[in-house]
Amino acid sequence: MRGYRTIKYTLFVFCYFFWVVSAILIAVGTYAKIAKEKNVVDTVMVDPALLLIVVGSVMFLITFLGCFGALRNIICLLKTFLAILTMILFLQIAAGVVGYLFTDMVMERTEKLMMTAIVRYREDPDLENAINFVQKKFQCCGVESYKDWSRNVYFECSDTNPSLEACGVPFSCCVGLQNQTVLNTMCGYGVHQLEESSAAQEVFTIGCLEKIVWWAKNNLLLVAGLTAGLLLLEVGMISLAAAQISRIKKVRLQRENEYRSRQERKESTWLPAFADFDDY
């Protein structure tokens, strides 16, 4: 009995933790979505607020099934939780295998997605902040190079562009940003008009895709450890759910057998010919 309680409450604690995390994700994403202007970016992959809401909602549903099913010993909820988690696990493994076998295609799709984010840079404050964070963190600019920013209407380098930021890049691309006490948001203006060697003294010229891939290769153990930890956590929750389902079925079968044996004993009891049946 103690082993069953350990399985039950361990699964409940794990599911409850991720249930709370998912609720926080939904709350943050909803707040960010409401705080933004209407008719901005509404694509899941390039809208951080919408992405938080979608991921949080899926997590909320799955972990709710695990929480309630584990706490109330409801087999149908536990089976649904087990099936969904198993499907997610296989999808993650399949995605990893496909990504490894078709690296060029994955890189091409990632490049297109990042380029779409650059084009919509000024349309969404959350997307703008996310891009600025990535460029400052990895000391990069654009997708393949800093010249990718010319695809954005605000930074497009042409004589017909009336924007003050024409032929420039965002401030997060600037080289001297780390040493500045006062933020100079105009530090990237006009860099497209310079030679690449001169521009490299003002802004980072290497694209973020290359820098991110380089970082992942140099921190392969960290990436592998985080991935393995996530997969092991999912396998552990799947095992706990399967173990609880098995224990519940076993207990129910034992109770049914006990009830059936009592009924059989009651039916096989010999009664006197003139017995008062109210006593039985």
Side-chain angles (χ1 to χ4, degrees), residues 33-40 125:
K33 194 69 177 173
I34 293 173
K36 289 189 294 189
E37 298 178 0
K38 293 182 179 179
N39 299 323
V40 294

Side-chain angles (χ1 to χ4, degrees), residues 1-14 70 236-237 239-245 247:
M1 191 65 178
R2 185 178 298 176
Y4 170 73
R5 287 181 178 176
T6 302
I7 294 171
K8 174 179 178 177
Y9 289 109
T10 301
L11 179 60
F12 172 76
V13 168
F14 274 118
M237 295 177 72
S239 302
L240 289 171
Q244 185 171 359
I245 291 171
R247 289 295 185 93

Side-chain angles (χ1 to χ4, degrees), residues 85-112:
L85 211 57
T86 304
M87 182 178 65
I88 291 174
L89 178 64
F90 281 118
L91 286 176
Q92 288 173 335
I93 295 173
V97 173
V98 170
Y100 179 77
L101 296 177
F102 303 97
T103 307
D104 294 337
M105 184 183 69
V106 173
M107 292 294 289
E108 183 181 349
R109 293 291 178 88
T110 305
E111 182 180 341
K112 287 182 179 179

Side-chain angles (χ1 to χ4, degrees), residues 29 37 45 49 62 91 106 132 136 143 153 157 166 230 233 239 278:
E37 298 178 0
M45 296 306 294
I62 296 172
L91 286 176
V106 173
N132 286 333
K136 287 189 289 186
V143 180
V153 292
C157 193
L230 177 62
L233 179 61
S239 302
D278 292 334

Side-chain angles (χ1 to χ4, degrees), residues 93-278:
I93 295 173
V97 173
V98 170
Y100 179 77
L101 296 177
F102 303 97
T103 307
D104 294 337
M105 184 183 69
V106 173
M107 292 294 289
E108 183 181 349
R109 293 291 178 88
T110 305
E111 182 180 341
K112 287 182 179 179
L113 181 63
M114 294 175 69
M115 200 66 73
T116 302
I118 282 181
V119 171
R120 298 180 177 181
Y121 175 72
R122 291 295 191 198
E123 298 178 17
D124 185 352
D126 294 327
L127 181 62
E128 183 177 334
N129 292 331
I131 292 174
N132 286 333
F133 172 79
V134 171
Q135 292 191 147
K136 287 189 289 186
K137 178 68 176 178
F138 293 98
Q139 297 184 347
C140 57
C141 190
V143 180
E144 294 182 338
S145 73
Y146 71 103
K147 294 182 179 180
D148 293 329
W149 281 104
S150 62
R151 301 193 182 189
N152 185 283
V153 292
Y154 295 95
F155 300 102
E156 183 183 1
C157 193
S158 65
D159 297 333
T160 57
N161 188 1
S163 174
L164 294 173
E165 297 174 310
C167 299
V169 295
F171 70 93
S172 54
C173 290
C174 295
V175 173
L177 194 61
Q178 303 293 333
N179 302 323
Q180 290 179 356
T181 55
V182 179
L183 183 62
N184 179 16
T185 57
M186 301 174 64
C187 57
Y189 284 20
V191 293
H192 287 291
Q193 296 174 330
L194 303 175
E195 295 291 334
E196 187 169 350
S197 57
S198 300
Q201 298 177 2
E202 302 292 333
V203 297
F204 300 111
T205 57
I206 301 176
C208 291
L209 183 59
E210 181 182 344
K211 276 294 189 77
I212 292 172
V213 172
W214 178 85
W215 180 89
K217 288 181 179 179
N218 284 285
N219 295 273
L220 195 58
L221 289 177
L222 177 62
V223 175
L226 292 174
T227 304
L230 177 62
L231 294 178
L232 286 175
L233 179 61
E234 291 176 0
V235 170
M237 295 177 72
I238 289 171
S239 302
L240 289 171
Q244 185 171 359
I245 291 171
S246 176
R247 289 295 185 93
I248 293 172
K249 287 182 175 180
K250 185 177 180 181
V251 169
R252 286 184 178 178
L253 183 61
Q254 288 177 348
R255 289 180 178 177
E256 288 176 1
N257 292 334
E258 290 175 1
Y259 177 77
R260 193 178 295 111
S261 63
R262 284 199 301 268
Q263 290 296 110
E264 290 176 354
R265 285 198 302 269
K266 195 175 284 188
E267 290 175 359
S268 62
T269 303
W270 179 82
L271 298 175
F274 302 99
D276 188 358
F277 288 96
D278 292 334

Side-chain angles (χ1 to χ4, degrees), residues 68-82:
F68 198 71
L71 192 63
R72 303 298 297 173
N73 300 321
I74 303 176
I75 288 184
C76 62
L77 293 184
L78 287 172
K79 284 184 175 180
T80 306
F81 171 76
L82 178 63

Side-chain angles (χ1 to χ4, degrees), residues 34-53:
I34 293 173
K36 289 189 294 189
E37 298 178 0
K38 293 182 179 179
N39 299 323
V40 294
V41 180
D42 57 357
T43 306
V44 174
M45 296 306 294
V46 291
D47 187 351
L50 190 58
L51 185 61
L52 284 177
I53 294 173

